[in-house]
Amino acid sequence: MDEDDSPDTGTDLPPYLHIADVLRQEIHEGLFRVGERIPAQAVLEERFHVSRPTVQRALKELYRDGYIDNQRGRPSEVLDWRHAPSRGGAPRTGGGRPSDGPEPAFAALGPHVAEAFQERRVTIDSFSLTAETLNAVLAEPITRVMSGELNPESIRVRILLPSLDASLAIPKVRDDPDADWPLVRLRQLVGAHVVVMNGFFAQIAGVRGGDVSLTLEFRTVPLTPMHKLYLLNGRTALFGYYRVVPRPVVYGEHQGDIWDVLGLGATLFAHRASPQHPDSTASRYVGEAQAWFDSLWATISTPLDLAE
């Protein structure tokens, strides 16, 4: 199959970038763990209904970003992507001033979070489907705090998620909307991210003792997120729409195509408030976004309950 007759992926992304996004998200979710091999190219061709060159371009993206090795003649193995620099030579989530232009969520959020951790008081508010992207980018600044390279006085993170016992619009099985296993899987994914983030904060407390004031809270609202929002230190807002796509999923004894979103690839738009220009569009946007988040947090949200 030629590149030009590749099937519609349900997004505006070229097929090879869509495939890279799907595999990247599955690595984040733990479907392919560090040291495990991802499926062979022939298997990926059949799964995504694309040509071998398209699969190879997708794998090259993952290799460049430090997610897989590049062994000729056998399936590639998953690397520890959280600490691996990109093959382009730039740090994955740090280094330099973050771009204020639209970028994919993982690429955009990391530098902004790294910048936020340069301040004495760090505040992060997040509204999303699973908190996966935030979880992925926190590893680097948390490591730098534990090593003493960064010395904030306080870190407060508030995470707002959908109620996991609500009737959510996504994820849903395409041909069986009443099937409940996608929501069971979602609960498991959220639980995994919560465990990791709690672990981050426990590590800081263990290493830094009382040097850093720590607050980590999870609450839920009975809404299906169709966008993601990150508010950093009350001055930067990053907003992006989720795009619903069909996605093949295997979960235990269940398998099928589900309607889902690929949050790591969602485009984020950055807005920075300016103390010198409080009436500017960017400043007003950040203020309204923060007020929106605070209103949900203080009114209809409830503590996250991961119990079955």
Side-chain angles (χ1 to χ4, degrees):
M1 182 180 294
D2 295 329
E3 188 78 27
D4 290 341
D5 59 10
S6 297
D8 183 10
T9 64
T11 77
D12 291 337
L13 291 175
Y16 78 95
L17 289 180
H18 170 73
I19 296 168
D21 276 351
V22 171
L23 295 176
R24 189 182 294 112
Q25 180 141 338
E26 291 178 345
I27 291 170
H28 278 270
E29 293 174 356
L31 183 60
F32 306 115
R33 300 183 183 277
V34 173
E36 292 183 350
R37 295 181 179 182
I38 64 172
Q41 293 183 18
V43 175
L44 295 174
E45 286 180 63
E46 183 176 355
R47 174 183 173 184
F48 292 102
H49 306 290
V50 295
S51 64
R52 180 64 61 91
T54 299
V55 168
Q56 291 172 340
R57 291 186 69 185
L59 296 180
K60 185 178 294 185
E61 289 290 312
L62 296 178
Y63 170 76
R64 186 197 65 186
D65 290 345
Y67 278 78
I68 61 174
D69 64 7
N70 190 25
Q71 300 292 328
R72 292 180 60 88
R74 66 176 178 83
S76 299
E77 291 183 355
V78 176
L79 302 176
D80 188 353
W81 49 270
R82 290 169 295 184
H83 304 293
S86 68
R87 276 16 183 259
R92 290 190 53 78
T93 60
R97 179 179 172 85
S99 170
D100 288 339
E103 289 186 306
F106 185 77
L109 186 60
H112 281 282
V113 168
E115 182 184 64
F117 267 80
Q118 300 289 331
E119 300 191 21
R120 301 299 293 171
R121 294 179 177 83
V122 180
T123 65
I124 300 176
D125 292 332
S126 166
F127 174 74
S128 64
L129 184 63
T130 66
E132 176 186 13
T133 307
L134 180 61
N135 185 17
V137 304
L138 277 176
E140 181 178 333
I142 292 297
T143 299
R144 296 175 68 192
V145 170
M146 288 191 294
S147 70
E149 183 181 349
L150 296 176
N151 292 286
E153 294 176 355
S154 62
I155 304 171
R156 188 202 72 187
V157 177
R158 299 188 299 177
I159 297 176
L160 201 54
L161 299 164
S163 301
L164 297 178
D165 58 356
S167 179
L168 302 179
I170 51 172
K172 292 281 189 182
V173 179
R174 293 179 65 176
D175 57 4
D176 186 9
D178 294 328
D180 64 352
W181 64 264
L183 292 179
V184 175
R185 174 179 171 274
L186 177 65
R187 178 183 293 273
Q188 189 175 70
L189 292 176
V190 169
H193 296 313
V194 169
V195 167
V196 171
M197 280 187 275
N198 278 324
F200 285 155
F201 276 65
Q203 290 173 22
I204 295 176
V207 173
R208 298 294 299 270
D211 290 348
V212 185
S213 174
L214 300 171
T215 304
L216 174 62
E217 298 178 83
F218 299 90
R219 296 183 71 85
T220 66
V221 287
L223 304 171
T224 302
M226 300 309 294
H227 70 271
K228 50 173 42 184
L229 173 68
Y230 305 96
L231 298 157
L232 310 178
N233 294 348
R235 293 193 302 277
T236 301
L238 293 100
F239 176 95
Y241 289 105
Y242 284 121
R243 193 173 299 183
V244 180
V245 296
R247 181 182 175 201
V249 168
V250 177
Y251 177 69
E253 62 183 15
H254 305 286
Q255 64 179 4
D257 286 348
I258 68 171
W259 295 118
D260 200 5
V261 294
L262 299 178
L264 290 171
T267 300
L268 292 183
F269 295 82
H271 307 268
R272 290 177 181 266
S274 170
Q276 291 76 32
H277 303 284
D279 293 326
S280 68
T281 298
S283 293
R284 294 188 64 184
Y285 182 92
V286 173
E288 288 295 317
Q290 187 69 65
W292 177 85
F293 181 95
D294 291 342
S295 71
L296 291 185
W297 190 269
T299 56
I300 63 174
S301 72
T302 57
L304 173 65
D305 181 6
L306 290 173
E308 293 293 339

